[in-house]
Amino acid sequence: MSQIGFADILWNLIMAAGWTVVLSLISFVGGGLLGIVLLFARIGKVSWLRVVVKIYTEVFQGTPLLMQLFLAFFGLGLLGIDVPPSLAAGTALILWTAAFLVEIWRGCVSAIAKGQWEASASLGMTYVEQMRHVILPQAFKISIPPTVGFSVQVVKGTALTSIIGFVEVTKAGTVLANATFQPFTVYGLVALIYFILCYPLSLSAKALERKMNVTHRH
Amino acid sequence: QANALEDISAAGKIRVAVPQDFPPFGSVGADMAPQGYDIDMAALIADKLGVDLELVPVTSANRIPYLQTKKVDLVISSMGKNAERDAVIDFSEPYAPFYNGVFAPADVEITEASDLSGKIIGVTRGSIEDLELTEVAPQDATLKRYEDNNGTISAFLSGQVEAIATGNVVAAALIERNPPKLPEMKFLIKNSPCYIGFNENQPELMAKLNSIIETAKADGDLDAISQKWLGMPLPADL
Amino acid sequence: MSYQFNFDWIATYWPVFIAGIWMTIQLIVVGGIVGIALGILCAWARSEGPKWLGFITAIYVELIRNTPFLIQLFFIFYGLPALGFRMTEVQAAMLAMVINLGAYSAEIIRAGLEATPKGQVEAGASLALSPLQTFRHVVLVPALQKIWPALCSQVVIVMLGSSVVSQIAVEDLTYAANFTQSRSFRAFEAYFVSTLIYLALAIALRFALLALGDMIFATKRRATR
Amino acid sequence: MSLIAIDALKKSYGKTEVLKGIDLHVKQGEVIALIGKSGSGKSTLLRCINGLEQINDGAISVAGEQLINDELHLRALRLKVGMIFQQFNLFPHKTAGQNVMLAQQVVKKRPKADAVAMARKMLDRVGLSDKFDSYPDQLSGGQQQRVAIARALAMEPMALLCDEVTSALDPELVAEVLQVVRDLAAEGMTLVMVTHEMAFARDVCSRVVFMHQGRIHESGPPEQVFNNPQTPELRSFIGMTG
Amino acid sequence: MSLIAIDALKKSYGKTEVLKGIDLHVKQGEVIALIGKSGSGKSTLLRCINGLEQINDGAISVAGEQLINDELHLRALRLKVGMIFQQFNLFPHKTAGQNVMLAQQVVKKRPKADAVAMARKMLDRVGLSDKFDSYPDQLSGGQQQRVAIARALAMEPMALLCDEVTSALDPELVAEVLQVVRDLAAEGMTLVMVTHEMAFARDVCSRVVFMHQGRIHESGPPEQVFNNPQTPELRSFIGMTG
Ligand SMILES: Nc1ncnc2c1ncn2[C@@H]1O[C@H](COP(=O)(O)OP(=O)(O)OP(=O)(O)O)[C@@H](O)[C@H]1O
Ligand SMILES: Nc1ncnc2c1ncn2[C@@H]1O[C@H](COP(=O)(O)OP(=O)(O)OP(=O)(O)O)[C@@H](O)[C@H]1O
Ligand SMILES: [Mg+2]
Ligand SMILES: [Mg+2]
């Protein structure tokens, strides 16, 4: 255990932050894709599917992400799947992210005025055509600011994967804090890295929201 | 029941749970790669089995679930043996010495378990120290159980606990790095050498591991590892 | 699947779970009350307070909202002692929750304050109420009423987020699960049970908070009488 | 034979019966004004004819075909009757031209070139040939409502249902929309419209239907209804709105 | 001596000057109507007198004391003049009685019992003694405005400023509020009110002040202003509002 200097700390944290970014991207993209599928079930016409997705979102929003990580980690293993921390982390984060995105997006769909449904219906469009051409394009637009805003939660959520042993920036931080006896510096740097990752997302979410309130144009 | 040893050979790879928060058994260097007694031991086993080695960093709290859920083939993470554990997993012959005790700065007066009365002691959850100390500590001693050794040691260094229970060599490694608080051994809790853990009902694997350990003891390989990381020869009674 | 589920350990470890649930409840009660109070202060500082105070508050809010709770917790528990601030793990956990909820609720409450019609403030002023009196008696309650559901959701989120405080050895519900699995080696079952308990707590907490809101903001009920 | 035939139609929301048995037959080329107090059920009646509301009892048929509540039949029905709303309900993310083209392409599967040609023709018909590429929020209320009319016309319906198409407009914009409706009537389009513009109704309609508390209380040619109302309710209604 | 003295008052928003030099003296017991076109600066003038807007130039004094823009002076001023708004601005989370009591308790530190007694008296005075425990959203607009008047009166001001207190009311509720104002005038309260109710102004006021483009264009007793306007602007204004 040789001397670990400030530069080493910083370098190791930045390398680990790469995993944080990768994990965030996986969660967000995967959660987004799953979220779209679930969204169609959530607002679709099959009532039992609607209920199932509703329960899904309630459960995943009503339990700690940490517990979901533990369960993915140890539960998937029980199914005979070999689960490295990265797979468990990805799975839990995707399921968790999807649960929130479904609800955010459902809110956007229901924010579309009833008149849009009626006008498109009276033009003879089917449910799918209404969705495809009238409702979703509008919902998509208003969903951008809250979706970007939620991405901050995803980035921060990845910190919990440290607890199941995935070596991203938080885990690297705990290891380094212990190895260097400089918790103040190390956790300060870790916080700074997260801030640098998240703050631009927060800012752009706010800016998008403001822009949308000023002009709600195409 | 599958034959784990055959599975390992077939895969050409062995997955070993090792610590990375527990010098000198397992810690990280400036490049964040694991290093230590347990890592060298894992390398030795892999070498003798003629398979590749995959190191999986674990904590004291989660290493047994890792094994049970077959995320790893072996646990080589300075794990002590007790009845509870023996009921759920199997152990090899011991491969390293381990004396765990209670450590505190010089100005804290503790000489035996009863002196822990009213004190706050940090320990790593699920470790042998945790299990043993839970038995012997007086009622009014407060045990703070941390998730991993990082937590325990950080809590000690930042003064959140007055004393910690850990291995003597761990404390020694700590002292070597010249921390702000110097731990000194107050009393020995238990002599509890380290064993390799693996899933139950694997006689072939157990036999193979034991023979590798025997050989390593005999031909000095293990002694070399001990010299390298513990700075002392392998005790004869191991 | 060869794994056999086994819940025998509950017989031995249920007291640990009870203690853990109780700790989690204590954390969220203290964190919730003090956190919302801090949120109100910060919301006031940002919308009506002196400029410099608003600025500092803005930095605080953004720092907290853009870093993980776990890091805030580590920073407080392991980092602050290096500067000479030491506290027990429970105090550290409560402080972290207060700081976290304070920042989020500040933003939520501020939205409520900004939605208050200007006429309300002017009516207060023209009755010779000082700005602080106007805030306290005229603006605050309707603003809180407006954003109460959002605030409730945030409190539930913070309660669920508190599951990481076991990392610093706070003996909460997650600690109970961790402790149990490290003794009984029944990881999946222990986490499964505690997840269910969290779900129940979350539902109960939301229900209780909404009911509390109906009680505090009695006007709503009477209006629909 | 009637183009639109409504018989003993009943409609309730929950426990409150909003339409209490409506009989109304509309012949090809007729222009009908529905008048009546707020809440009398005028909008509900139109919405039932367009299949936007499920009916509880009675029957509606359009061009001889019965209204049945499944997607296929509804679609067929809606191809026969277009509807214009008080709130325009243009699609805000599409230009005027795209608004008119969308259903043609999606529902009628017209090739794009044909849809464009039809959209141009219809926008021209409502006097907005230069607004093809404007988005709804770049248009005045009156222009938006005319686009909505063009959009309905592009589907070549046999009848148009209009629900207070000028109520959401500033007074100075009402005339331009009414002129379009007047032209449609003159060209022989079958129209059923809810309106509060009594002068317009008197001028343009072939028949005025007065609704009261979910029933057709009185109906007849405009001269009779306006100059010689038979019931006290209609008298009071006409007096009220002047 | 004047109760309210305004001299050479100027007020700008950004670069646009809204009040361009106002001189107005109001004696104890006078009832003044401010009239004028929308945007002429009537509301702004009232708001300046109440200290809700900072003035750019000139001076305002009430009961001999100069208006200075710090919290202490502003509060002292506002204890002397009460204000009633177009939008009532009752506190929605408090009952009518609590609305009237709040400032008494918080500002005047009256004991609760006294505040209750005063609130009952004032609600009685505006004819709402039975609404003490009603919340604003349970009251009609006219009742809400009367509670607002009671709330201002409970602070025992020397003058009341009223900004279009009936403009937000349905026509059938206007009379009840005007009756309360009429009673106040009769009891000798000093009133400065912006109003569009010309008949009321003529009837109740001792002086009518016509504002035009940020200036007092003409003023005098109602008979003179309404029957014999001197300037074309006032003539056109009076003709306009009939
Ligand atoms: N979705 C609904 N749910 C319950 N009741 C409804 C619904 N839509 C309309 N109603 C009720 O049905 C009755 C008739 O409403 P409708 O809109 O048909 O009246 P209308 O004659 O069009 O009135 P207006 O002139 O105000 O548009 C009203 O009492 C209304 O409250
Ligand atoms: N806060 C403000 N910022 C900028 N300009 C303002 C503001 N308030 C009022 N104005 C402008 O000041 C001018 C006078 O406004 P004021 O409200 O005093 O008119 P008014 O005579 O009360 O009209 P009305 O009869 O419509 O109430 C207007 O041109 C208005 O646009
Ligand atoms: Mg209607
Ligand atoms: Mg005004």
Side-chain angles (χ1 to χ4, degrees):
Chain A
M1 179 70 57
S2 54
Q3 232 32 49
I4 300 180
F6 183 82
D8 293 320
I9 296 177
L10 190 59
W11 176 247
N12 283 318
L13 286 179
I14 289 174
M15 293 314 288
W19 282 113
T20 297
V21 172
V22 169
L23 200 54
S24 303
L25 286 176
I26 291 173
S27 316
F28 201 67
V29 173
L33 291 175
L34 178 59
I36 289 173
V37 174
L38 293 178
L39 175 67
F40 280 104
R42 181 73 177 86
I43 60 180
K45 290 197 161 165
V46 188
S47 63
W48 66 266
L49 259 181
R50 280 204 307 267
V51 173
V52 167
V53 178
K54 172 118 175 51
I55 293 174
Y56 166 85
T57 56
E58 289 286 329
V59 167
F60 278 78
Q61 293 191 9
T63 56
L65 174 58
L66 181 60
M67 286 293 152
Q68 296 164 26
L69 282 162
F70 279 140
L71 287 177
F73 195 40
F74 295 116
L76 287 177
L78 295 184
L79 298 177
I81 304 167
D82 174 31
V83 205
S86 51
L87 178 62
T91 308
L93 279 168
I94 284 173
L95 291 175
W96 177 78
T97 306
F100 279 86
L101 288 180
V102 168
E103 281 305 294
I104 291 173
W105 292 343
R106 189 188 65 89
C108 294
V109 169
S110 52
I112 303 300
K114 195 163 148 255
Q116 295 290 313
W117 285 99
E118 296 191 336
S120 48
S122 77
L123 287 168
M125 290 190 204
T126 61
Y127 177 75
V128 174
E129 288 163 356
Q130 288 177 296
M131 272 291 174
R132 157 87 182 72
H133 296 285
V134 177
I135 304 301
L136 287 184
Q138 295 181 56
F140 175 73
K141 226 187 69 199
I142 57 174
S143 74
I144 294 174
T147 305
V148 173
F150 181 69
S151 68
V152 176
Q153 307 304 323
V154 176
V155 176
K156 296 196 298 174
T158 62
L160 297 189
T161 64
S162 63
I163 295 172
I164 58 167
F166 187 77
V167 186
E168 37 63 78
V169 67
T170 303
K171 183 74 185 177
T174 51
V175 172
L176 285 165
N178 187 21
T180 61
F181 314 133
Q182 297 175 1
F184 190 81
T185 313
V186 172
Y187 291 124
L189 282 175
V190 173
L192 184 67
I193 289 176
Y194 277 108
F195 188 80
I196 290 170
L197 290 176
C198 293
Y199 190 55
L201 293 172
S202 298
L203 272 188
S204 39
K206 260 188 199 158
L208 284 168
E209 200 172 333
R210 218 173 301 123
K211 200 173 124 205
M212 205 141 284
N213 285 343
V214 176
T215 65
H216 32 255
R217 175 165 298 180
H218 32 280
Chain B
Q1 193 88 27
N3 183 328
L5 185 59
E6 282 173 7
D7 290 350
I8 293 166
S9 311
K13 175 181 92 170
I14 187 165
R15 296 163 305 165
V16 183
V18 295
Q20 63 172 354
D21 54 357
F22 207 49
F25 290 96
S27 63
V28 298
D31 59 352
M32 301 282 287
Q35 58 180 29
Y37 193 118
D38 288 340
I39 286 82
D40 284 2
M41 187 66 203
L44 179 82
I45 303 273
D47 186 42
K48 298 289 183 206
L49 290 175
V51 293
D52 292 339
L53 174 63
E54 181 183 327
L55 294 174
V56 180
V58 295
T59 65
S60 304
N62 68 20
R63 56 196 173 187
I64 290 175
Y66 258 84
L67 187 62
Q68 287 178 314
T69 53
K70 307 207 168 54
K71 293 182 207 300
V72 294
D73 302 308
L74 303 179
V75 174
I76 306 183
S77 98
S78 41
M79 184 163 62
K81 184 169 161 180
N82 73 356
E84 262 181 313
R85 284 181 183 166
D86 221 353
V88 288
I89 62 172
D90 272 352
F91 291 98
S92 70
E93 296 294 311
Y95 70 90
F98 195 86
Y99 302 93
N100 55 41
V102 170
F103 296 79
D107 57 345
V108 179
E109 291 221 356
I110 299 173
T111 52
E112 54 182 3
S114 61
D115 291 339
L116 294 178
S117 169
K119 298 233 166 18
I120 301 176
I121 308 103
V123 64
T124 301
R125 179 165 52 234
S127 65
I128 280 287
E129 307 88 89
D130 176 13
L131 304 177
E132 294 297 331
L133 201 58
T134 308
E135 300 284 317
V136 302
Q139 279 289 310
D140 60 347
T142 312
L143 290 192
K144 292 292 171 206
R145 298 183 180 85
Y146 294 91
E147 183 73 19
D148 56 20
N149 291 298
N150 284 323
T152 310
I153 293 169
S154 294
F156 175 72
L157 295 174
S158 57
Q160 299 287 8
V161 295
E162 301 168 74
I164 51 172
T166 190
N168 59 338
V169 284
V170 178
L174 233 142
I175 291 166
E176 211 173 87
R177 285 146 61 200
N178 198 21
K181 272 196 165 55
L182 286 178
E184 70 173 41
M185 165 84 108
K186 298 298 184 183
F187 64 89
L188 185 73
I189 303 174
K190 193 176 184 201
N191 171 9
S192 136
C194 307
Y195 301 79
I196 299 175
F198 45 92
N199 279 316
E200 299 203 283
N201 303 320
Q202 298 295 345
E204 298 85 355
L205 183 61
M206 182 185 294
K208 184 73 186 166
L209 289 174
N210 284 341
S211 93
I212 293 174
I213 294 171
E214 279 312 310
T215 318
K217 278 180 186 166
D219 65 14
D221 282 354
L222 216 45
D223 193 55
I225 298 177
S226 176
Q227 288 288 0
K228 176 177 169 195
W229 292 107
L230 308 183
M232 61 180 201
L234 201 66
D237 59 352
L238 194 71
Chain C
M1 194 170 101
S2 59
Y3 194 85
Q4 293 296 311
F5 287 95
N6 180 334
F7 289 94
D8 297 345
W9 50 269
I10 292 180
T12 318
Y13 292 104
W14 66 266
V16 185
F17 272 82
I18 298 296
I21 293 170
W22 176 229
M23 174 57 73
T24 293
I25 290 174
Q26 282 174 290
L27 287 176
I28 195 56
V29 168
V30 174
I33 293 173
V34 185
I36 290 176
L38 178 63
I40 291 172
L41 269 179
C42 293
W44 173 83
R46 282 197 78 178
S47 56
E48 294 184 25
K51 254 216 167 75
W52 61 270
L53 190 58
F55 186 68
I56 292 175
T57 313
I59 292 176
Y60 152 67
V61 167
E62 292 302 332
L63 268 181
I64 296 301
R65 283 161 51 91
N66 289 292
T67 53
F69 178 65
L70 183 60
I71 293 299
Q72 294 158 17
L73 188 70
F74 283 163
F75 195 86
I76 290 172
F77 191 65
Y78 295 131
L80 287 190
L83 299 185
F85 301 101
R86 175 152 311 129
M87 58 200 93
T88 69
E89 69 283 349
V90 175
Q91 291 165 342
M94 281 178 178
L95 179 63
M97 288 172 74
V98 164
I99 287 179
N100 195 272
L101 181 58
Y104 278 95
S105 56
E107 283 297 281
I108 295 171
I109 294 167
R110 193 164 70 109
L113 295 181
E114 278 167 8
T116 306
K118 200 163 142 259
Q120 291 289 312
V121 179
E122 295 189 340
S126 77
L127 287 168
L129 269 65
S130 71
L132 209 61
Q133 288 170 333
T134 305
F135 180 81
R136 152 101 178 67
H137 295 286
V138 175
V139 177
L140 186 57
V141 173
L144 282 180
Q145 182 177 0
K146 234 168 277 160
I147 49 83
W148 189 251
L151 206 53
C152 293
S153 302
Q154 192 58 45
V155 173
V156 171
I157 288 173
V158 169
M159 190 275 282
L160 296 176
S162 78
S163 61
V164 303
V165 300
S166 67
Q167 289 293 300
I168 58 168
V170 175
E171 299 178 5
D172 74 332
L173 179 50
T174 306
Y175 177 91
N178 281 331
F179 181 85
T180 303
Q181 72 92 349
S182 76
R183 303 295 157 110
S184 70
F185 312 116
R186 288 286 163 189
F188 185 76
E189 291 91 330
Y191 291 127
F192 185 73
V193 167
S194 55
T195 302
L196 288 184
I197 298 175
Y198 269 115
L199 185 60
L201 280 179
I203 292 169
L205 181 60
R206 168 177 302 277
F207 187 80
L209 285 173
L210 290 175
L212 181 72
D214 282 351
M215 230 166 69
I216 301 174
F217 310 115
T219 52
K220 212 173 178 178
R221 207 169 8 140
R222 289 187 212 208
T224 53
R225 190 167 47 188
Chain D
M1 201 197 69
S2 314
L3 181 61
I4 302 174
I6 302 168
D7 293 295
L9 166 64
K10 290 187 180 174
K11 166 73 193 167
S12 309
Y13 290 111
K15 284 208 181 79
T16 53
E17 194 167 47
V18 173
L19 298 180
K20 299 173 181 167
I22 301 278
D23 296 284
L24 180 65
H25 286 234
V26 182
K27 280 197 278 293
Q28 172 94 40
E30 264 197 299
V31 176
I32 308 244
L34 284 178
I35 62 173
K37 277 202 298 194
S38 178
S40 56
K42 309 178 296 290
S43 297
T44 307
L45 177 56
L46 282 200
R47 295 165 59 80
C48 286
I49 302 177
N50 200 229
L52 289 173
E53 304 284 352
Q54 284 203 347
I55 66 179
N56 297 91
D57 204 359
I60 300 178
S61 73
V62 175
E65 250 184 285
Q66 199 73 22
L67 189 164
I68 302 169
N69 217 311
D70 63 43
E71 191 148 296
L72 219 72
H73 284 85
L74 272 181
R75 233 180 131 146
L77 167 83
R78 285 166 178 163
L79 286 175
K80 289 184 212 140
V81 289
M83 179 138 179
I84 329 257
F85 302 85
Q86 181 174 344
Q87 295 300 339
F88 330 145
N89 291 337
L90 291 188
F91 307 135
H93 60 303
K94 299 203 173 282
T95 62
Q98 290 166 342
N99 261 282
V100 183
M101 286 158 61
L102 179 64
Q104 297 183 57
Q105 294 183 273
V106 171
V107 179
K108 292 211 159 173
K109 314 281 182 226
R110 277 195 189 134
K112 177 150 186 214
D114 295 4
V116 170
M118 175 61 107
R120 290 214 179 279
K121 193 171 124 196
M122 289 305 148
L123 284 176
D124 195 33
R125 186 161 166 191
V126 299
L128 290 173
S129 39
D130 55 331
K131 298 294 183 189
F132 193 93
D133 291 319
S134 304
Y135 281 91
D137 59 3
Q138 298 167 319
L139 299 174
S140 73
Q143 291 170 330
Q144 288 190 52
Q145 191 61 293
R146 281 144 69 198
V147 174
I149 295 174
R151 183 171 71 175
L153 290 177
M155 301 299 282
E156 299 174 314
M158 307 170 82
L160 267 191
L161 312 173
C162 306
D163 192 358
E164 301 192 28
V165 292
T166 58
S167 298
L169 297 177
D170 290 339
E172 66 266 34
L173 302 176
V174 168
E176 64 187 41
V177 172
L178 289 186
Q179 187 53 48
V180 170
V181 177
R182 193 186 300 265
D183 293 346
L184 285 177
E187 290 165 24
M189 173 63 81
T190 311
L191 287 169
V192 182
M193 54 190 176
V194 174
T195 184
H196 290 144
E197 303 284 334
M198 292 305 156
F200 180 76
R202 183 191 292 239
D203 199 20
V204 172
C205 295
S206 48
R207 185 148 49 115
V208 175
V209 173
F210 171 62
M211 290 191 60
H212 186 66
Q213 298 187 344
R215 290 208 170 76
I216 295 183
H217 208 68
E218 214 179 314
S219 78
E223 312 79 57
Q224 179 200 315
V225 167
F226 289 118
N227 300 341
N228 195 12
Q230 304 294 308
T231 58
E233 287 82 9
L234 178 53
R235 259 197 298 279
S236 116
F237 178 74
I238 291 172
M240 204 172 75
T241 57
Chain E
M1 201 197 68
S2 313
L3 180 61
I4 301 175
I6 302 169
D7 293 295
L9 167 64
K10 290 187 181 176
K11 166 73 194 166
S12 309
Y13 289 112
K15 283 209 180 79
T16 52
E17 195 168 44
V18 173
L19 297 180
K20 300 173 181 167
I22 301 280
D23 296 284
L24 180 66
H25 286 233
V26 182
K27 279 197 281 292
Q28 172 95 41
E30 263 196 300
V31 176
I32 306 244
L34 284 178
I35 62 172
K37 276 204 296 194
S38 178
S40 55
K42 309 178 295 292
S43 296
T44 307
L45 177 56
L46 282 201
R47 295 165 58 79
C48 286
I49 303 177
N50 200 228
L52 289 174
E53 304 285 350
Q54 283 204 346
I55 67 179
N56 297 90
D57 204 1
I60 301 179
S61 72
V62 176
E65 250 184 287
Q66 198 74 23
L67 190 163
I68 302 171
N69 218 310
D70 64 41
E71 186 144 309
L72 221 70
H73 284 84
L74 271 180
R75 278 184 84 160
L77 166 83
R78 286 167 178 162
L79 285 175
K80 288 185 214 140
V81 288
M83 179 139 179
I84 328 257
F85 302 86
Q86 182 175 341
Q87 295 301 338
F88 329 145
N89 290 335
L90 292 188
F91 307 137
H93 58 301
K94 297 195 177 286
T95 62
Q98 289 166 343
N99 260 281
V100 182
M101 286 158 62
L102 178 67
Q104 298 183 57
Q105 294 182 275
V106 172
V107 179
K108 294 211 159 173
K109 315 281 182 223
R110 278 196 188 134
K112 177 148 186 213
D114 294 6
V116 170
M118 175 61 106
R120 291 211 179 280
K121 195 171 122 195
M122 289 304 147
L123 284 176
D124 196 31
R125 186 161 165 191
V126 299
L128 290 173
S129 39
D130 54 332
K131 299 292 182 190
F132 193 92
D133 290 319
S134 303
Y135 281 91
D137 58 6
Q138 297 168 317
L139 298 175
S140 74
Q143 291 170 329
Q144 288 189 51
Q145 191 60 293
R146 280 144 70 198
V147 174
I149 295 174
R151 184 172 71 175
L153 290 178
M155 299 300 283
E156 299 173 314
M158 306 171 82
L160 267 191
L161 312 174
C162 306
D163 192 357
E164 301 192 27
V165 291
T166 58
S167 299
L169 296 178
D170 290 338
E172 66 267 25
L173 302 176
V174 169
E176 64 188 42
V177 173
L178 289 186
Q179 187 54 48
V180 170
V181 178
R182 192 185 300 264
D183 293 347
L184 286 177
E187 291 165 23
M189 173 62 81
T190 312
L191 288 169
V192 182
M193 55 189 175
V194 175
T195 185
H196 289 144
E197 304 283 336
M198 292 306 157
F200 179 75
R202 181 189 292 239
D203 198 21
V204 173
C205 295
S206 49
R207 183 148 49 113
V208 175
V209 173
F210 172 61
M211 290 191 62
H212 186 67
Q213 296 186 345
R215 288 206 173 77
I216 293 182
H217 207 70
E218 214 180 313
S219 79
E223 311 80 56
Q224 178 200 314
V225 167
F226 290 117
N227 300 341
N228 196 11
Q230 303 294 310
T231 58
E233 288 80 10
L234 179 53
R235 259 196 299 279
S236 117
F237 178 75
I238 290 172
M240 202 173 74
T241 57

